[in-house]
Structures are given as C-alpha cells and as structure tokens.
Amino acid sequence: MNGKSVAWDCPICSSRGTSAPFWKTPRFHRCRRCGLIFRYPFPTAAALSYLYTTSWLSPDENKAETGATEVNSARSLVKFLTRSIGSTSLSGKRILDFGAGRGAITLALRQKGAQVVAVEPFGYECLAKLGVPTYRDLAELPREARFDGIVSLEVLEHLPEPRRTLLDLHRHLEPGGWLFVTTPNAAGLPAKLRGERWREAVRPGHVLFFTPLTLKSLLLETGFRRVERPRSPVRYTGRMQPRTLLNFMMQFVLVDGGLRVLAFKH
C-alpha cells in the first residue's frame, strides 16, 4: 500500500492535496489529507453512464450496479432507521429515496406509511412502473420541495461528485430533518483483511470509499450538524447463521463492512 506520492485531485478534498497508491488491482489511490480512497484513474462520466445503462438492460442480473438491497434487508433497514431516529412510526413522513435502484427501500418505506419520492437516473422506468413519483436527477426536483427525511443506500460510493450531491440533499431537507446513508466501510475488518480483493473494491461502479471519519467530516462540511453511527444491528439475511452472529458482533463494535450513518439538519 505504500508508494510514491503523486499529485491528483481528490474528488472531495477542497484543498486538492496529494494522493498515493493504495490498491494495485483494481487501482485505487488514497488522499493523504481527508482519507478518501478513490479509483485511479478516475472514470469519466461517459464510462460510468455506459456501465449503468448496460447494467439496467438486465437489472436483476446486475444488482451491484442497479440496487443490491433485497426486500428482507430493506425491511430490516427501515426498522433500524425508525429506532435510530427515535420514532415509533413513519406514517405521513415525506421521504426522498435518492438513488432508489430497483425500489426495495422505497416500497418498504411506503409499507410503513411514508410518502416517498424517488430519484433514480437509470432505473427511472422501473420505479415509475411501481407507481412511485420518480425524478431522473436531483436537478429535476422542484426547488421548493422539502422532506422530513432522505435515504441514500449504497449510493455515495458510485458518485463522482459527492460533495455537490450532499449540498443539494441538505437543501431539500426540512429543518430538523435527517439523512440516512449507507456505504461500504473502508475502515472495516473486511476491507482491512481483504484489501484490493475486498468484494466492494472489485465492483466497477464503486469509485469512492469512505472511512467513518472521512464521511463524518464531509457531512459536517456540507451543512449537517449532528452525525451519528447507531450501534443496533441490522439483520441482512433471513436465516440466523454463525456468519450472521459474527456480523452482528462486528456491527456492535462498528467494524463491519458497512457504514450506516444518520446526519441531521438544524
């Protein structure tokens, strides 16, 4: 992981610090100032668009790029979210699902009574067929649109400009509203043990990886004032197995492969 430093623009660091090689295959660099890990060379917008467009030709066969969250996981995440924000119900809450993918979390939120609007650039038609009010881009949302909460599951790692996106999401929140983000944990045990063989690193659509500190700093810099990592575990599989118990333990001590973060707008 050590290597000679080279000048390279970090996708989130405003100081434009130097970066150094981090993983070789696939090739990633790490920003020495903010800790962000990013694909090097950084893919063009056209390359990313082609990847997602072709993936959506067979969305169920390309879940890594079209939305890997399944129905059971979505329901567990909604329970986790409800507990974490200290609420007993999401009924009537206006929630934006940013990067809605195949719609699992959207449907789980609607089952709990939330009024959900989705943003999904490549799976737009899939969401529209489910009867979900859907926009292709944040820029299409009415400027006056405000939400009680925003969910963005496994999206940040795909974004070439996460700072700009988070600023836009912050603007669409009501005062006191919350943002719930999940993204791979670059400081978790799976990433540390597997390195460049980590399953998240080999997925071509994953261009950025955050440590907890890097993500918290970015959220604070984009206007959020309280950033939390709830410790209650999320059950991602239907059956309780030894591997599930191990994952629960890692979640309790915040070293598992996923970051689950709540950020609040004052």
Side-chain angles (χ1 to χ4, degrees), residues 75-144:
R75 290 171 179 166
S76 295
L77 283 164
V78 169
K79 290 180 182 179
F80 171 87
L81 170 63
T82 306
R83 290 194 306 266
S84 299
I85 62 175
S87 178
T88 58
S89 173
L90 296 177
S91 182
K93 297 295 183 182
R94 295 163 296 165
I95 298 179
L96 175 66
D97 185 359
F98 175 70
R102 294 179 298 132
I105 196 71
T106 295
L107 297 180
L109 289 165
R110 290 176 71 177
Q111 288 174 356
K112 294 299 182 180
Q115 301 172 11
V116 187
V117 172
V119 170
E120 176 47 61
F122 297 97
Y124 174 90
E125 294 180 359
C126 176
L127 274 293
K129 288 178 180 178
L130 296 175
V132 179
T134 308
Y135 296 85
R136 295 183 187 274
D137 191 88
L138 275 176
E140 293 185 2
L141 272 177
R143 290 189 61 84
E144 67 276 8

Side-chain angles (χ1 to χ4, degrees), residues 16-200:
R16 302 297 186 183
T18 60
S19 69
F22 191 71
W23 292 323
K24 293 181 179 180
T25 308
R27 198 175 180 191
F28 279 85
H29 274 215
R30 182 179 182 274
C31 177
R32 289 178 179 249
R33 291 190 63 87
C34 70
L36 182 76
I37 299 168
F38 57 94
R39 197 172 285 273
Y40 178 92
F42 207 74
T44 64
L48 291 173
S49 179
Y50 178 79
L51 171 65
Y52 299 127
T53 300
T54 54
S55 295
W56 273 98
L57 295 176
S58 302
D60 292 334
E61 297 174 9
N62 297 286
K63 295 177 183 178
E65 313 305 340
T66 63
T69 304
E70 300 292 352
V71 173
N72 288 336
S73 295
R75 290 171 179 166
S76 295
L77 283 164
V78 169
K79 290 180 182 179
F80 171 87
L81 170 63
T82 306
R83 290 194 306 266
S84 299
I85 62 175
S87 178
T88 58
S89 173
L90 296 177
S91 182
K93 297 295 183 182
R94 295 163 296 165
I95 298 179
L96 175 66
D97 185 359
F98 175 70
R102 294 179 298 132
I105 196 71
T106 295
L107 297 180
L109 289 165
R110 290 176 71 177
Q111 288 174 356
K112 294 299 182 180
Q115 301 172 11
V116 187
V117 172
V119 170
E120 176 47 61
F122 297 97
Y124 174 90
E125 294 180 359
C126 176
L127 274 293
K129 288 178 180 178
L130 296 175
V132 179
T134 308
Y135 296 85
R136 295 183 187 274
D137 191 88
L138 275 176
E140 293 185 2
L141 272 177
R143 290 189 61 84
E144 67 276 8
R146 295 294 182 271
F147 300 92
D148 301 302
I150 298 174
V151 297
S152 185
L153 304 188
E154 307 305 301
V155 175
L156 281 186
E157 64 272 19
H158 296 265
L159 301 180
E161 297 182 286
R163 179 184 295 276
R164 177 179 171 183
T165 298
L166 289 171
L167 286 169
D168 288 342
L169 293 177
H170 183 271
R171 187 177 69 249
H172 284 292
L173 272 177
E174 292 280 11
W178 46 263
L179 168 68
F180 177 45
V181 170
T182 70
T183 191
N185 181 8
L189 279 179
K192 289 184 176 181
L193 293 175
R194 299 288 293 173
E196 62 193 39
R197 295 174 295 163
W198 183 31
R199 67 176 186 177
E200 306 295 348

Side-chain angles (χ1 to χ4, degrees), residues 199-242:
R199 67 176 186 177
E200 306 295 348
V202 300
R203 293 173 174 172
H206 289 183
V207 297
L208 306 174
F209 291 116
F210 296 85
T211 65
L213 181 59
T214 301
L215 181 55
K216 181 177 181 178
S217 297
L218 180 60
L219 288 165
L220 292 173
E221 290 169 8
T222 50
F224 295 92
R225 288 294 176 265
R226 181 158 58 97
V227 180
E228 302 175 353
R229 291 184 67 195
R231 288 179 180 267
S232 57
V234 178
R235 186 170 176 174
Y236 290 103
T237 59
R239 297 175 60 188
M240 184 62 72
Q241 301 173 338

Side-chain angles (χ1 to χ4, degrees), residues 223-263:
F224 295 92
R225 288 294 176 265
R226 181 158 58 97
V227 180
E228 302 175 353
R229 291 184 67 195
R231 288 179 180 267
S232 57
V234 178
R235 186 170 176 174
Y236 290 103
T237 59
R239 297 175 60 188
M240 184 62 72
Q241 301 173 338
R243 187 174 180 178
T244 307
L245 293 173
L246 176 61
N247 185 262
F248 274 17
M249 293 173 61
M250 290 195 297
Q251 288 187 50
F252 272 121
V253 294
L254 303 179
V255 296
D256 59 300
L259 278 173
R260 292 165 298 281
V261 175
L262 269 172

